[in-house]
Amino acid sequence: MDVFRFRLNCVDHYQATPTEFDPKLHRELGLPSQQHNGYQVPVIRVFGATETGQKVCAHIHGALPYLYLEYDGSLEQDAVDAYIQRLRISIDHALAISYRRNAYNSRLHFVGHISLVKGVPFFGYHVGYKYFLKVYILNPLNMTRLADLLQQGTILAKVMQPYESHLQYLLQWMCDYNLYGCAYIDCAKVKFRDPVPDSLEMRNPAHKWHDQSILSGWISDANELPRQSHCPIEVDVCVQDILNRKEIHSRPIHHDFKERFNHLAPDEKYVHSMAAAHSLPKF
């Protein structure tokens, strides 16, 4: 498949039962592998148009909201797994009580996944990596409540400082995947929702996506994934297929004192958004 490209003109999100395009979280949530209605996940919905003007509604799957928590425990795999399990149970329990739900309902889940990561803290002056737990949650609407509970000491009976919990879900996704409003989203592959545009009814011969160019294997079952819009093209996209993120490369410049002795080139900036600032005209 050629790169599927469309503009990010309007964006929102909704909760839905997981599909083939969403992360498989059954094992982590303690659910049978065949059960798909035990929880819901966020799906980002983008409205835009292709380069030739074909209107598009895209459902972006796999982007879960998250926050970071500092981790200073043992790095032994068993110790990390045990702590993650305790943290998951404590978060689910605290959020359930906070929302006045049954905290002992095994089918009630708020945490999607927790993983151990490392990074250099952004605020203040730091040299060297620190370890963090990246906590993904299943509903963006629970993020503020979770951050409050962490700072109140409700989770694991200790006060914890959440990082990046202040970012709105859609903004967090756009930052992570190098996306901008009214700019193009490039996708390595997508799956179209039936029906696709009829080539015989097209007025613009430059339009690229229609029943003659879209293979049958690229079209989803209409019974499983019905259309939600009146756009001529409606697609499902997995976040890992968004190519814009590949344009950003990590720069390990804060893990030691390298930046003190090896300065950046004149055309480089520590902050990407400032890279072109020096070229702006002066008035």
Side-chain angles (χ1 to χ4, degrees):
M1 173 184 284
D2 293 338
V3 172
F4 185 83
R5 180 178 240 212
F6 63 100
R7 285 190 186 276
L8 195 165
N9 290 337
C10 182
V11 59
D12 64 4
H13 65 89
Y14 62 94
Q15 294 292 118
T17 301
T19 65
E20 60 179 293
F21 305 104
D22 295 290
K24 304 298 183 290
L25 302 173
H26 302 86
R27 179 182 299 178
E28 297 186 51
L29 300 181
L31 299 172
S33 59
Q34 69 274 14
Q35 184 173 342
H36 295 280
N37 58 355
Y39 63 99
Q40 289 190 325
V41 294
V43 180
I44 296 172
R45 182 168 46 200
V46 177
F47 293 92
T50 65
E51 293 177 291
T52 61
Q54 288 180 280
K55 303 301 181 184
V56 176
C57 172
H59 305 266
I60 314 293
H61 301 263
L64 297 180
Y66 61 85
L67 54 76
Y68 293 100
L69 298 173
E70 279 195 49
Y71 177 73
D72 56 4
S74 170
L75 297 180
E76 293 292 333
Q77 187 65 52
D78 291 342
V80 173
D81 291 343
Y83 185 84
I84 285 177
Q85 183 64 13
R86 286 175 51 219
L87 179 62
R88 172 195 290 277
I89 293 173
S90 184
I91 291 176
D92 282 341
H93 186 85
L95 283 173
I97 293 177
S98 176
Y99 287 115
R100 298 184 179 181
R101 308 282 291 278
N102 181 5
Y104 300 98
N105 182 359
S106 60
R107 295 169 58 89
L108 184 62
H109 303 283
F110 295 94
V111 179
H113 177 71
I114 302 177
S115 59
L116 179 66
V117 299
K118 69 176 183 179
V120 179
F122 182 81
F123 298 102
Y125 296 93
H126 299 273
V127 175
Y129 295 111
K130 283 190 175 182
Y131 293 99
F132 295 86
L133 291 174
K134 192 173 185 179
V135 182
Y136 297 88
I137 62 174
L138 297 174
N139 192 328
L141 299 180
N142 301 144
M143 182 63 77
T144 301
R145 182 70 61 91
L146 173 57
D148 290 341
L149 293 174
L150 288 165
Q151 295 178 88
Q152 293 168 8
T154 306
I155 311 297
L156 293 180
K158 66 177 182 179
V159 175
M160 288 185 274
Q161 172 63 55
Y163 294 87
E164 297 198 15
S165 60
H166 64 290
L167 289 177
Q168 293 184 0
Y169 170 51
L170 296 176
L171 177 60
Q172 190 178 57
W173 166 70
M174 291 174 66
C175 290
D176 286 346
Y177 288 87
N178 190 30
L179 302 174
Y180 304 88
C182 294
Y184 284 108
I185 301 179
D186 293 329
C187 305
K189 61 181 179 180
V190 301
K191 206 156 186 183
F192 297 83
R193 295 198 181 188
D194 206 25
V196 296
D198 188 338
S199 58
L200 298 178
E201 298 179 358
M202 287 188 170
R203 298 180 180 179
N204 186 349
H207 286 341
K208 183 177 180 180
W209 303 103
H210 46 73
D211 58 352
Q212 296 300 313
S213 63
I214 300 173
L215 302 181
S216 59
W218 301 349
I219 302 175
S220 300
D221 186 342
N223 294 321
E224 295 182 2
L225 288 169
R227 279 175 158 267
Q228 294 185 9
S229 74
H230 296 288
C231 295
I233 297 177
E234 191 161 341
V235 297
D236 290 278
V237 184
C238 295
V239 287
Q240 61 266 28
D241 294 322
I242 297 177
L243 299 175
N244 303 65
R245 186 171 186 175
K246 298 183 183 298
E247 299 173 5
I248 297 179
H249 304 284
S250 62
R251 297 187 301 173
I253 57 177
H254 298 299
H255 64 292
D256 56 24
F257 287 101
K258 174 182 177 181
E259 59 184 298
R260 178 180 178 184
F261 305 106
N262 299 279
H263 299 290
L264 294 179
D267 59 339
E268 290 186 283
K269 299 291 181 182
Y270 285 112
V271 181
H272 282 282
S273 61
M274 298 295 293
H278 67 280
S279 63
L280 296 177
K282 296 182 179 180
F283 297 96

